[in-house]
């Protein structure tokens, strides 16, 4: 929950794409790159490049489908997490480049921070740009932040920072977690049944067809006994539960803890402190944490 604040140092080369790339082709390229002898030479640091695309519009039918899958009300105002989905193919293009320091296959999304500067309406046209920064060691490998920025009329209206962990056999020497005693989970305000359809439905609306979310075999290949829910679905579902109580501008930050297996039942909790919120998802039976977050 304490990811470094994003910076924008000089020296990155800006490359503008004519349109958003197709996510499916990028995932196929990532899988091919994981085969022996097929991957390129990876850099030791993040590439000094940022990718941009202009004129991205919203498909109202797709927005409505996303709202239904994640529990938002059907409305013209874009949920904060929808802009992540809208611009994610651009970040995916950056992360699947052969020289990107961490391969996409097996990467773990460990945290996400979104800042909404003002509400964005479905009829607005959004420009996106993305870059990576803060490559750093971790006890299980290396972490990197991928920054995605949405602008309207030249003004930044939305910023997302996704932190990814690339697991490596040789530990990166970063700070180690204190195992300690697991804190008692907060009292649940609701219980949600998370069915396997959540994985396939969110894959459809997000374009994230990673097989760990949709296939039992695919999940087992990456060490999971059964498919797991997308982390950004979990964040979106928690945000949807707070939708009517969110301010016009805010930052919502989450740390993804243990995966949500499909199917399962999760306990949702949310506590207000003035205009701020603390929220969490836990396993309904054993209290294991899946997600902890704040709205400030």
């Amino acid at each position: 929950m304490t990811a470094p604040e994003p910076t924008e140092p000089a020296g990155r080369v800006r490359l503008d794409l004519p349109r958003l790339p197709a996510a499916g082709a990028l995932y196929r390229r990532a899988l091919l790159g994981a085969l022996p002898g097929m991957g390129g030479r990876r850099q030791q640091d993040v590439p000094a490049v940022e990718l941009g695309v202009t004129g991205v519009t919203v498909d109202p039918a797709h927005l409505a489908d996303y709202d239904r899958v994640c529990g938002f009300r059907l409305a013209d105002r874009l949920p904060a997490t929808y802009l992540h989905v809208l611009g994610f193919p651009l970040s995916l293009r950056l992360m699947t480049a052969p020289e990107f320091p961490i391969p996409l296959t097996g990467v773990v999304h460990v945290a996400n921070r979104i800042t909404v500067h003002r509400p964005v309406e479905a009829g607005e046209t959004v420009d996106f740009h993305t870059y990576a920064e803060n490559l750093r060691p971790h006890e299980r490998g290396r972490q990197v932040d991928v920054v995605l920025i949405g602008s309207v009329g030249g003004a930044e209206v939305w910023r997302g920072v996704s932190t990814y962990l690339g697991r490596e056999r040789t530990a990166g020497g970063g700070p180690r977690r204190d195992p300690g005693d697991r804190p008692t989970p907060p009292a649940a305000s609701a219980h949600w049944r998370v069915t396997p359809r959540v994985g396939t439905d969110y894959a459809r609306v997000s374009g994230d067809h990673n097989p760990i979310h949709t296939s039992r075999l695919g999940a087992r290949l990456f060490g999971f006994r059964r498919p797991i829910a997308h982390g950004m679905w979990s964040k979106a579902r928690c945000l949807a539960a707070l939708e009517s109580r969110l301010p016009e501008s805010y930052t919502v930050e989450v740390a993804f803890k243990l995966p949500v297996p499909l199917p399962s039942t999760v306990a949702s909790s949310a506590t207000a402190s003035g205009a701020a919120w603390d929220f969490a998802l836990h396993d309904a039976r054993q209290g294991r944490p899946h997600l902890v977050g704040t709205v400030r």
Side-chain angles (χ1 to χ4, degrees):
M1 300 300 292
T2 56
E5 288 295 322
T7 57
E8 298 186 15
R12 284 193 297 266
V13 176
R14 172 70 176 258
L15 299 175
D16 287 306
L17 306 184
R19 65 187 67 85
L20 282 172
L26 295 174
Y27 276 111
R28 288 191 292 272
R29 183 169 72 177
L31 291 173
L32 286 174
L35 298 176
M38 296 294 289
R41 175 173 293 182
R42 299 196 177 276
Q43 296 181 1
Q44 294 303 306
D45 202 352
V46 295
V49 63
E50 66 178 48
L51 303 180
V53 65
T54 60
V56 178
T57 58
V58 173
D59 176 357
H62 181 262
L63 173 61
D65 197 11
Y66 176 88
D67 287 343
R68 283 189 289 265
V69 169
C70 298
F72 291 102
R73 296 172 299 180
L74 299 182
D76 288 334
R77 179 170 292 188
L78 305 184
T81 48
Y82 183 76
L83 283 152
H84 170 88
V85 166
L86 197 62
F88 180 68
L90 191 66
S91 295
L92 190 61
R93 173 64 179 81
L94 180 73
M95 296 171 66
T96 53
E99 65 274 13
F100 197 78
I102 297 176
L104 185 67
T105 52
V107 76
V108 180
H109 194 181
V110 296
N112 177 267
R113 180 176 66 245
I114 289 174
T115 297
V116 176
H117 297 296
R118 71 156 176 85
V120 180
E121 301 295 326
E124 296 187 271
T125 299
V126 184
D127 303 329
F128 286 104
H129 70 276
T130 189
Y131 57 89
E133 64 177 7
N134 298 329
L135 182 66
R136 56 200 184 273
H138 184 274
E139 64 177 56
R140 290 181 290 166
R142 290 182 296 171
Q143 286 185 338
V144 67
D145 295 333
V146 176
V147 182
L148 178 66
I149 296 172
S151 302
V152 175
E156 181 179 320
V157 295
W158 181 95
R159 177 183 290 249
V161 182
S162 291
T163 300
Y164 297 99
L165 168 65
R167 292 175 292 189
E168 298 171 354
R169 292 185 177 180
T170 302
R176 300 186 65 85
R177 296 175 298 172
D178 179 8
D181 293 328
R182 182 178 296 160
T184 302
S189 54
H191 288 84
W192 302 331
R193 182 63 178 167
V194 189
T195 69
R197 185 168 177 175
V198 165
T200 54
D201 284 352
Y202 189 81
R204 184 186 70 250
V205 299
S206 68
D208 182 351
H209 292 279
N210 188 323
I212 65 173
H213 305 300
T214 58
S215 163
R216 184 176 291 270
L217 176 60
R220 286 181 175 175
L221 289 174
F222 288 96
F224 301 102
R225 289 189 297 174
R226 57 184 190 266
I228 61 174
H230 297 73
M232 288 304 293
W233 174 86
S234 299
K235 179 174 182 175
R237 185 65 186 87
C238 289
L239 210 57
L242 299 173
E243 186 176 16
S244 62
R245 291 164 282 188
L246 295 174
E248 294 286 284
S249 61
Y250 58 91
T251 294
V252 53
E253 185 172 5
V254 300
F256 301 115
K257 301 295 185 179
L258 299 174
V260 177
L262 301 175
S264 63
T265 300
V266 296
S268 166
S269 61
T271 305
S273 177
W277 288 88
D278 295 303
F279 60 92
L281 281 183
H282 289 81
D283 177 89
R285 294 179 61 187
Q286 300 180 354
R288 295 178 300 178
H290 295 305
L291 173 153
V292 294
T294 61
V295 175
R296 297 288 186 267

